[in-house]
Amino acid sequence: MSDVHSAELLAQVAALPPLPGVYRYFDAQGGLLYVGKARNLKKRVSSYFTKTHGGTRIGHMVSKITRLDTTVVRSEAEALLLENNLIKSLNPRYNILFRDDKSYPYLKITGVAARDGSGDYPGQQFPRMAYYRGGVDKRHRYFGPYPGAWAVKETILLLQKVFRLRTCEDTVFANRTRPCLLYQIKRCSGPCVDLISPQAYASDVHHAEAMLRGETQELLQAMEARMMEHSGKLEFEQAADVRNQISALSRVLHQQAIETTSDKDVDILAVKVLGGRACVNLAMVRGGRHLGDRAYFPVHVEDAVAVFQAEEPQEPDSADGAGEGGAAAESVNADAAADQAGSAPMAARSIEVQVLEAFIAQHYIGVPAPPVLVTSHPVDRALLAALSQQVGVRMSAIHQPREQRRAWLEMAQKNADIQLARLLAEEGSQQARTRALADALDLEVDDLATLTIECFDISHTAGESTQASCVVFHHHKMQSSEYRRYKIEGITGGDDYAAMRQVLTRRYSKVAEAQREAGGADPSPGQARLPDLVLVDGGKGQVSMAREVFTQLGLDLTRIVGVEKGEGRKVGLEELVFADGRDKVYLGRDSAALMLVAQIRDEAHRFAITGMRAARAKVRVGGGQLEEIAGVGPKKRARLLQRFGGVRGVAAASVEDLITVDGISRDLAEEIYRALR
């Protein structure tokens, strides 16, 4: 392989030290190809450039390497952590990658109320339960994470049934004059109208927190003692209330199958690999409750595994890996003998183990880790030790569990099978749709996965707040991260043709410029490119406008296709209109190609409407104006919104009313009054 690499690169490889570290490979365009760790950098990296890999995946990767970066660390554990931090943040092409599209949800209990119910404001005296997603704040308490929103909402409903904690916003809470419907159906204790004392409410909050922590037996005992205490004091009404709570909690414990074992926080991980795709199913147990599961599908599995297996095997006692989180495979039954572990040469590790270790290494970098993992395959002890060091929690893994843990694992394995089968079926269907569209339109595409479609739509309400949307489709799915909205200005309200002209010009001007610079050749990587298909939601009129724009920019007219609604605007009767003069095409109601076109068109329509509605609401209620007023920062804005119940209330307030808010001077009140009217 040395004849395809520069002398400078080979000299850098020869000069590497025999120390632990992390290496990174880059291609000619600066793209990151691979991140790996090594106990011996010199030995590991040299193996890539001294062996002949032929036409394999690793050979393809090695042929692209033009630059090498290395980082020497003090220990193998440091190398492991650095490796997986880089993998998660940089998304290299030949590593197994797990991508979180959003953060985990939590159940939040607001305020920091003391046990006696004291606090500076009602939100502290009477904390509320809420669904929450985002960064944590020390002023509140958070329980979770939960696998999904439904698990949080189910838990909130459960706590409402037993402890009747409020869920209303502070602005609503502060302005209630009579109890709401939740009080009537016995889901809230009515703190907004003083139907419960701060002390009694605080006690319910602490009991709810104990339940969320899994302290169910201690909680029941404490509640029983409290009931007997009231009874001994002849406070039979209070004793009956506690008795009802105990009864409700007992029913919930039975219905929700809350475990009374020592397992309070456990994650169960099952992996399934089939057809070149993989699924890791994560089930969560928090506070002794099985909260449900969540499936993850890694990318680059085949490429990463091929590179891993082609690397030079290490000695049996080595813990060196190939970039996915360690190498020596471990078989541990923590229930029987936690100190028993086996090792295997690097190349002998199964795909399932590599995928599982990649998930563990990347997932728990940014997510609170439980002390116990129950896994479908053995994982490396060095990986768990390194993660324990980073997250500050001593983690252990159980590979062959018993009793309740075994039932949890079997359930997770079944769900992994189901989720992977569903993914393969969906991908097969989506690929069939892409192929059908390419065939129907005679699109010349070497690789269907790279077929790129962009679709445009215009949305407004009687000419107000006109928005254009552009959605992108490639690799057989919608790419939401590449969606764009365009605020249309300088046109007559309701002129959809002018709006389409503006958005297409703004979108493809850079493409035309890149093509002119390339002199007719394909633009270089990183520059704007014309998609294979440009879908326009409209008939001849919109297509004619798109043709004018493309003609002015010197772009290929054959890429433009309009989606014209059929007779009576009925779904399934759409026809395709072409800008290059071809006859209309009716694909047929049951056509897979039409299904794909409709899917993309509908997504563009949805994206445009949501943008238009947000812009319209911002204009009508003045939400954006309040944030833009000089002198009104986050704290003053929060005080205003809390005092007047929202932006509409602030806009309706007089100058004298605004002055009564802490921090609002007369000059600022007059400025707010003018800005919102």
Side-chain angles (χ1 to χ4, degrees):
M1 298 294 294
S2 59
D3 56 336
V4 300
H5 298 102
S6 66
E8 181 182 357
L9 177 61
L10 296 176
Q12 183 182 0
V13 173
L16 289 175
L19 298 172
V22 173
Y23 55 93
R24 299 174 290 284
Y25 296 143
F26 297 87
D27 60 19
Q29 288 75 40
L32 182 62
L33 295 171
Y34 187 70
V35 174
K37 77 171 183 66
R39 186 177 62 176
N40 184 319
L41 276 174
K42 184 178 183 67
K43 183 177 180 182
R44 168 54 54 78
V45 176
S46 296
S47 69
Y48 285 92
F49 300 93
T50 57
K51 296 172 62 177
T52 301
H53 302 287
T56 62
R57 279 187 168 89
I58 186 173
H60 186 61
M61 182 198 76
V62 173
S63 67
K64 293 182 177 181
I65 299 174
T66 60
R67 183 163 65 87
L68 163 69
D69 282 350
T70 60
T71 302
V72 176
V73 296
R74 293 174 297 180
S75 66
E76 199 172 346
E78 286 187 3
L80 176 67
L81 296 177
L82 175 59
E83 172 203 29
N84 285 287
N85 274 288
L86 291 173
I87 289 172
K88 187 166 185 178
S89 60
L90 301 179
N91 299 330
R93 171 67 180 82
Y94 286 85
N95 288 92
I96 295 176
L97 298 178
F98 286 88
R99 294 173 180 167
D100 288 333
D101 53 350
K102 51 189 174 181
S103 62
Y104 280 95
Y106 288 80
L107 189 154
K108 178 173 76 171
I109 296 182
T110 62
V112 289
R115 190 174 295 275
D116 60 0
S118 62
D120 297 332
Y121 62 96
Q124 285 184 317
Q125 292 182 355
F126 302 103
R128 65 181 285 258
M129 297 184 299
Y131 168 90
Y132 180 76
R133 192 190 295 274
V136 298
D137 187 333
K138 292 182 179 179
R139 295 176 300 173
H140 309 298
R141 287 147 292 176
Y142 301 87
F143 298 88
Y146 288 77
W150 62 269
V152 181
K153 294 171 183 176
E154 184 71 20
T155 303
I156 290 176
L157 180 61
L158 182 155
L159 294 178
Q160 283 181 303
K161 290 179 179 179
V162 179
F163 301 109
R164 303 187 186 181
L165 303 185
R166 73 179 182 96
T167 56
C168 56
E169 295 282 353
D170 286 348
T171 51
V172 175
F173 176 84
N175 292 285
R176 293 294 303 183
T177 57
R178 59 180 180 177
C180 66
L181 179 63
L182 287 176
Y183 173 80
Q184 306 295 339
I185 63 174
K186 301 186 184 302
R187 293 292 185 269
C188 179
S189 53
C192 55
V193 288
D194 298 324
L195 295 179
I196 184 173
S197 69
Q199 294 79 12
Y201 189 88
S203 177
D204 288 339
V205 170
H206 286 285
H207 287 163
E209 292 177 353
M211 179 176 168
L212 291 171
R213 290 192 297 266
E215 301 168 358
T216 53
Q217 293 304 309
E218 297 89 337
L219 175 58
L220 284 170
Q221 293 172 4
M223 294 175 70
E224 288 172 358
R226 182 180 166 200
M227 178 182 67
M228 297 306 296
E229 180 181 352
H230 284 306
S231 179
K233 295 179 180 179
L234 304 182
E235 298 171 347
F236 299 118
E237 185 174 347
Q238 292 90 328
D241 289 339
V242 178
R243 179 204 62 198
N244 293 338
Q245 276 192 338
I246 293 174
S247 177
L249 179 57
S250 298
R251 286 196 303 271
V252 164
L253 293 178
H254 176 70
Q255 294 169 0
Q256 299 288 326
I258 295 180
E259 302 299 330
T260 57
T261 64
S262 59
D263 283 336
K264 293 181 179 178
D265 293 340
V266 179
D267 278 355
I268 303 97
L269 297 166
V271 61
K272 176 73 173 180
V273 179
L274 182 67
R277 296 304 306 267
C279 172
V280 174
N281 194 78
L282 166 63
M284 294 181 175
V285 174
R286 293 294 183 271
R289 296 179 58 233
H290 193 292
L291 301 177
D293 50 17
R294 186 171 176 178
Y296 294 84
F297 304 99
V299 295
H300 309 332
V301 173
E302 290 187 320
D303 287 335
V305 170
V307 173
F308 178 89
Q309 292 178 340
E311 288 185 334
E312 182 181 1
Q314 303 295 312
E315 301 82 4
D317 63 343
S318 169
D320 197 6
E324 315 310 332
E330 174 186 32
S331 178
V332 179
N333 183 344
D335 288 335
D339 60 342
Q340 292 181 0
S343 298
M346 179 185 62
R349 294 168 63 217
S350 67
I351 297 176
E352 288 80 4
V353 171
Q354 295 174 51
V355 170
L356 184 58
E357 290 184 352
F359 176 82
I360 292 172
Q362 295 174 36
H363 178 75
Y364 292 108
I365 288 174
V367 174
V372 178
L373 303 180
V374 177
T375 63
S376 61
H377 293 75
V379 295
D380 185 11
R381 181 181 298 169
L383 169 63
L384 296 174
L387 282 174
S388 299
Q389 176 183 339
Q390 173 164 303
V391 303
V393 175
R394 185 176 180 181
M395 300 176 64
S396 62
I398 301 166
H399 166 44
Q400 296 175 339
R402 299 174 180 173
E403 299 175 352
Q404 183 60 51
R405 290 172 171 174
R406 183 178 182 85
W408 286 337
L409 181 57
E410 289 175 350
M411 188 163 44
Q413 288 176 316
K414 182 65 175 177
N415 286 330
D417 294 343
I418 294 172
Q419 293 291 346
L420 186 56
R422 178 190 58 80
L423 175 70
L424 292 173
E426 289 179 356
E427 288 186 342
S429 174
Q430 195 66 38
Q431 290 174 15
R433 290 182 180 184
T434 308
R435 186 178 297 105
L437 182 61
D439 292 342
L441 301 182
D442 294 325
L443 300 176
E444 297 181 1
V445 183
D446 295 331
D447 182 5
L448 279 177
T450 63
L451 176 65
T452 303
I453 303 172
E454 295 184 357
C455 183
F456 296 85
D457 189 28
I458 308 297
S459 184
H460 58 80
T461 301
E464 179 187 357
S465 303
T466 303
Q467 291 262 344
S469 70
C470 174
V471 299
V472 183
F473 173 93
H474 59 77
H475 288 84
H476 310 294
K477 62 182 179 180
M478 304 305 301
Q479 305 291 334
S480 58
S481 62
E482 300 179 30
Y483 291 5
R484 295 293 181 270
R485 286 194 181 99
Y486 297 85
K487 185 178 181 180
I488 305 301
E489 297 177 321
I491 66 170
T492 302
D495 189 346
D496 287 356
Y497 294 149
M500 184 62 71
R501 174 192 292 276
Q502 185 177 133
V503 67
L504 291 176
T505 302
R506 290 165 62 181
R507 180 71 174 179
Y508 294 119
S509 294
K510 292 184 179 179
V511 174
E513 182 181 349
Q515 288 190 358
R516 286 193 296 268
E517 292 177 354
D522 290 337
S524 59
Q527 287 187 304
R529 289 173 174 265
L530 191 65
D532 298 291
L533 201 63
V534 177
L535 286 180
V536 175
D537 186 21
K540 289 183 179 180
Q542 292 287 28
V543 170
S544 297
M545 185 59 63
R547 182 171 58 243
E548 290 181 15
V549 173
F550 271 47
T551 300
Q552 292 173 0
L553 296 176
L555 299 176
D556 184 3
L557 295 179
T558 64
R559 309 290 180 98
I560 303 172
V561 177
V563 185
E564 185 178 64
K565 295 179 174 62
E567 182 181 355
R569 304 174 69 90
K570 293 181 180 179
V571 177
L573 299 181
E574 294 90 345
E575 294 181 316
L576 302 185
V577 183
F578 300 94
D580 58 358
R582 282 178 284 172
D583 293 335
K584 292 182 181 180
V585 171
Y586 172 62
L587 296 174
R589 184 186 300 270
D590 298 325
S591 166
L594 180 60
M595 291 179 185
L596 177 58
V597 170
Q599 173 190 349
I600 298 172
R601 187 270 315 271
D602 292 345
E603 178 66 359
H605 190 55
R606 180 202 65 79
F607 192 59
I609 285 179
T610 55
M612 178 271 297
R613 287 175 177 169
R616 184 182 64 192
K618 187 174 182 180
V619 170
R620 290 182 177 178
V621 306
Q625 297 176 28
L626 183 59
E627 295 179 359
E628 294 164 4
I629 298 174
V632 181
K635 292 183 179 179
K636 291 180 181 177
R637 186 164 63 249
R639 294 191 193 109
L640 286 167
L641 295 174
Q642 185 171 356
R643 173 65 62 84
F644 298 105
V647 175
R648 293 181 186 274
V650 178
S654 66
V655 173
E656 298 302 326
D657 292 333
L658 294 171
I659 294 174
T660 63
V661 178
D662 184 28
I664 304 298
S665 64
R666 176 169 289 277
D667 290 342
L668 183 55
E670 292 175 351
E671 179 66 25
I672 295 171
Y673 184 83
R674 287 194 299 268
L676 298 183
R677 289 173 180 264

